[in-house]
Amino acid sequence: MIKIINPIGFKKRFEAIFLNVLVYIIIYVIEAILYINISQYLLSVLFIVQLVFMGRGMTLGKWWVGIKVVKLDGTNAGFFRMLLRTFSDLFINVGTLGIGLIINIGMISLRRDKRVLHDLIAGTYVTNYVPTETLVVHNE
């Protein structure tokens, strides 16, 4: 039996989604206020940054709230597993016209491991992110 360590529930997941959406909203608000078309450049940069984070089992929002997606054995989910998780999430929530989202909210509430449909498909779960690497700056 696989032991899932510190699964994350609805609140932190929602905070991460909210922060992800907030970044996109800020880009569009800046564009509207300044009457310039910067969104294509900022969104391109943001997309690349998201891809880098995705390989680490995170989005910017997940990173900000201190959570990440891992495989069932607790190791890094990796880029392709995160891609599978993302596309299955998209299909489940959009393809079912929101019914999947309601099911996922119920699953987070009722399941001890807090895994939702796209976690079950990808073999992942969401847990706290504890950085293992620390940046050390040496002054000479």
Side-chain angles (χ1 to χ4, degrees), residues 107-120:
M107 290 177 74
I108 287 175
S109 302
L110 299 174
R111 290 179 61 103
R112 277 190 173 165
D113 62 6
K114 307 294 183 199
R115 295 174 68 210
V116 294
L117 293 172
H118 53 275
D119 285 320
L120 295 173

Side-chain angles (χ1 to χ4, degrees), residues 123-135:
T124 59
Y125 72 98
V126 181
T127 189
N128 281 325
Y129 168 63
V130 180
T132 55
E133 300 172 1
T134 306
L135 179 64

Side-chain angles (χ1 to χ4, degrees), residues 53-120:
F53 272 88
M54 203 162 102
R56 297 180 179 170
M58 294 179 274
T59 61
L60 286 173
K62 282 183 176 63
W63 177 68
W64 282 330
V65 298
I67 61 177
K68 89 181 267 184
V69 178
V70 295
K71 291 193 292 191
L72 293 177
D73 63 5
T75 60
N76 188 9
F79 180 78
F80 292 108
R81 189 174 300 264
M82 286 297 295
L83 202 59
L84 171 64
R85 185 179 184 273
T86 301
F87 281 115
S88 61
D89 183 31
L90 183 66
F91 175 75
I92 289 166
N93 292 329
V94 177
T96 63
L97 302 174
I99 294 170
L101 179 63
I102 294 167
I103 292 169
N104 282 341
I105 291 171
M107 290 177 74
I108 287 175
S109 302
L110 299 174
R111 290 179 61 103
R112 277 190 173 165
D113 62 6
K114 307 294 183 199
R115 295 174 68 210
V116 294
L117 293 172
H118 53 275
D119 285 320
L120 295 173

Side-chain angles (χ1 to χ4, degrees), residues 1-60:
M1 176 155 196
I2 295 174
K3 183 176 181 179
I4 293 181
I5 301 169
N6 198 19
I8 300 300
F10 180 77
K11 183 179 180 238
K12 278 211 169 187
R13 286 180 185 226
F14 179 79
E15 290 170 359
I17 292 167
F18 176 79
L19 289 169
N20 284 332
V21 171
L22 186 62
V23 169
Y24 291 104
I25 290 171
I26 288 170
I27 290 171
Y28 286 116
V29 168
I30 290 170
E31 183 178 88
I33 290 172
L34 299 177
Y35 298 106
I36 56 174
N37 186 12
I38 60 169
S39 63
Q40 68 184 30
Y41 304 110
L42 288 177
L43 291 175
S44 297
V45 169
L46 187 60
F47 178 73
I48 292 168
V49 169
Q50 288 282 48
L51 286 177
V52 170
F53 272 88
M54 203 162 102
R56 297 180 179 170
M58 294 179 274
T59 61
L60 286 173

